[in-house]
């Protein structure tokens, strides 16, 4: 059964700027796991889906995203989920929370996921995760907190990622308002 997740990706210049921060964290602290994926905001964490349901999921996501309009996403500063996750914070979370709720509902209705109680949703862009050593967490967090980061972009669609057994690949992009 394929493993998938759904995310919003920033445009290329911003993705590259964020990749450079991830590279710096890798160089200073040895945390490289976050580099496995492009910068993204996860809307639906990984879920397993039967192969036969993937075409229907594509149709459902297309219908859903056709009804949405692009919206602004504002990023500012850094945050953390102790003891190992560092991220860029989203300062305009409500549009993302709304899309997250709608996608969760769509996935539940289509029986793609069975979450009874949705997780708390804190939109962010991960910079370091599981492979950041606990002993480096505080120093890395302080390093980021002494920096300034501000950016914004227009969210124009969502991406369905699928795991190929080794890495995550973009399965398909679904543009808003098509």
């Amino acid at each position: 059964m394929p493993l998938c997740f759904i995310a919003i990706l920033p445009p290329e210049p911003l993705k590259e700027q964020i990749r450079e921060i991830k590279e710096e964290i890798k160089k200073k602290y040895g945390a490289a796991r976050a580099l496995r994926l492009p910068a993204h905001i996860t809307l639906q964490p990984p879920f397993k889906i039967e192969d036969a349901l993937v075409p229907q999921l594509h149709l459902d996501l297309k219908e859903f995203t056709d009804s949405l309009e692009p919206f602004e996403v504002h990023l500012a500063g850094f945050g953390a989920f102790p003891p190992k996750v560092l991220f860029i914070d989203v300062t305009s979370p409500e549009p993302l929370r709304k899309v997250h709720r709608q996608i969760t509902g769509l996935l539940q209705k289509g029986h793609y996921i069975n979450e009874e109680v949705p997780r708390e949703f804190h939109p962010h862009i991960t910079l370091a995760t599981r492979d950041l050593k606990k002993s480096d967490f505080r120093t890395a967090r302080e390093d980021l907190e002494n920096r300034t980061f501000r950016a914004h972009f227009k969210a124009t669609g969502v991406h369905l990622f699928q795991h190929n057994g080794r890495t995550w690949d973009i399965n398909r992009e679904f543009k808003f308002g098509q």
Side-chain angles (χ1 to χ4, degrees):
M1 285 187 12
L3 186 62
C4 298
F5 80 93
I6 300 169
I8 288 180
L9 275 65
E12 196 52 52
L14 183 53
K15 276 196 299 195
E16 178 59 24
Q17 182 182 1
I18 294 167
R19 190 191 66 70
E20 289 172 7
I21 297 170
K22 291 179 183 184
E23 288 283 356
E24 183 182 329
I25 291 170
K26 175 187 172 189
K27 185 177 178 181
K28 284 183 176 179
Y29 306 105
R33 188 177 186 96
L35 282 161
R36 293 181 179 178
L37 284 163
H40 67 279
I41 299 169
T42 300
L43 293 173
Q44 176 59 47
F47 60 99
K48 289 185 178 179
I49 180 171
E50 294 178 31
D51 279 314
L53 292 178
V54 173
Q56 184 60 49
L57 176 59
H58 286 173
L59 292 173
D60 290 346
L61 284 171
K62 181 177 180 346
E63 182 179 334
F64 168 69
T65 56
D66 282 352
S67 70
L68 297 178
E69 294 296 321
F71 58 89
E72 286 290 320
V73 176
H74 295 269
L75 308 171
F78 301 94
F81 299 131
K84 292 190 171 194
V85 178
L86 301 172
F87 58 82
I88 295 171
D89 209 5
V90 173
T91 59
S92 57
E94 278 316 307
L96 290 162
R97 286 184 178 141
K98 181 179 179 185
V99 173
H100 165 73
R101 282 190 303 271
Q102 292 171 324
I103 283 182
T104 300
L106 177 142
L107 294 173
Q108 288 171 330
K109 182 179 175 187
H111 303 289
Y112 303 112
I113 62 171
N114 295 319
E115 289 182 23
E116 293 296 321
V117 180
R119 300 178 189 181
E120 182 180 339
F121 181 64
H122 183 113
H124 63 279
I125 297 177
T126 301
L127 297 172
T129 187
R130 297 180 209 152
D131 63 340
L132 179 62
K133 294 178 189 146
K134 288 182 183 181
S135 59
D136 289 333
F137 177 79
R138 185 174 176 202
T139 306
R141 184 176 185 177
E142 288 171 357
D143 180 31
L144 289 174
E145 287 174 349
N146 290 324
R147 299 166 71 165
T148 302
F149 184 91
R150 285 198 176 290
H152 65 90
F153 67 94
K154 190 169 289 256
T156 58
V158 302
H159 289 78
L160 177 66
F161 282 80
Q162 187 171 329
H163 203 272
N164 67 21
R166 290 186 29 242
T167 60
W168 289 100
D169 297 323
I170 294 175
N171 174 285
R172 189 159 167 197
E173 179 181 10
F174 300 88
K175 293 277 194 183
F176 294 153
Q178 295 293 306

